[in-house]
Amino acid sequence: LSANFVTTGTNIASFVEMDGYQFYASEDGFVYHSNLNSVSLYSAADRIAANMSPDLPVAIARHKNMIICFGTNSVDFFYNAGNPSGSVLNRAEQYFQRVGIQNQRSLVALEDTIYFISSSRTGDIQVKKLANLQISKISTSAIDRILGTGNATGSAMYLNAFTLGGYSYLLIQVISVLA
């Protein structure tokens, strides 16, 4: 692996692919990408700051032709501008949202929709979806109470999505962490 692969911090978001690049986010506040058509070569300048909000990136996803960087208090959107130097990405400022995410494990994609558990920094914890570049709440008040109680007691929360019999399902796991 390239020496320019950044491993700063305790949390590095998963990888997502778009247009021949591998993208990931790190707690140092940047979205990084690989060299074109490579999974192991990285250049030091191939990064863009995810800094429209002062929170740090914790998760990354791809939605349509956008790379989405989720922070604890915000969502930044980027598109491939094909820049010849530095990051190939440019920020799509018009899509920026002030809603955060719990962590990489509380995010899942199913077909063209991204589901995630929002951060408590913006108020109540809720399940939200990102579809057609728009974020909306999908959880009921009963689910919100369960998630809020789980968050208050230090529980870990995970999302999973699947299709069965032609129906889409979202599985939420709230796992109590025993001291």
Side-chain angles (χ1 to χ4, degrees):
L1 193 60
S2 174
N4 292 316
F5 182 81
V6 174
T7 58
T8 304
T10 57
N11 179 51
I12 295 177
S14 66
F15 289 93
V16 293
E17 180 279 329
M18 186 174 80
D19 300 336
Y21 297 96
Q22 293 291 320
F23 295 91
Y24 72 98
S26 178
E27 286 180 340
D28 65 355
F30 291 92
V31 173
Y32 294 89
H33 65 81
S34 67
N35 292 355
L36 183 62
N37 297 323
S38 175
V39 295
S40 61
L41 296 176
Y42 293 82
S43 299
D46 293 345
R47 67 182 190 167
I48 187 169
N51 63 356
M52 284 202 52
S53 179
D55 59 334
L56 297 177
V58 294
I60 193 168
R62 176 182 175 184
H63 181 62
K64 300 193 179 290
N65 66 337
M66 303 281 238
I67 296 297
I68 316 299
C69 182
F70 292 87
T72 55
N73 197 34
S74 66
V75 181
D76 278 318
F77 292 74
F78 301 93
Y79 64 95
N80 184 349
N83 299 323
S85 62
S87 178
V88 297
L89 297 177
N90 277 358
R91 184 183 321 280
E93 296 172 356
Q94 69 272 25
Y95 297 114
F96 173 80
Q97 298 271 331
R98 284 209 173 269
V99 59
I101 191 170
Q102 292 284 313
N103 54 53
Q104 183 73 43
R105 294 174 308 274
S106 63
L107 175 139
V108 66
L110 182 63
E111 296 175 358
D112 286 335
T113 304
I114 297 171
Y115 300 94
F116 63 97
I117 298 175
S118 67
S119 169
S120 60
R121 290 185 182 207
T122 56
D124 292 337
I125 295 178
Q126 303 169 337
V127 179
K128 299 192 180 254
K129 76 174 182 177
L130 171 62
N132 296 317
L133 302 172
Q134 297 294 317
I135 296 174
S136 59
K137 178 186 176 210
I138 63 167
S139 56
T140 64
S141 58
I143 297 296
D144 294 347
R145 282 192 299 276
I146 292 168
L147 295 175
T149 301
N151 185 62
T153 59
S155 296
M157 294 180 223
Y158 304 98
L159 282 184
N160 205 335
F162 58 94
T163 302
L164 183 65
Y167 294 98
S168 298
Y169 295 91
L170 185 63
L171 172 66
I172 305 169
Q173 295 175 296
V174 180
I175 301 171
S176 177
V177 179
L178 301 175

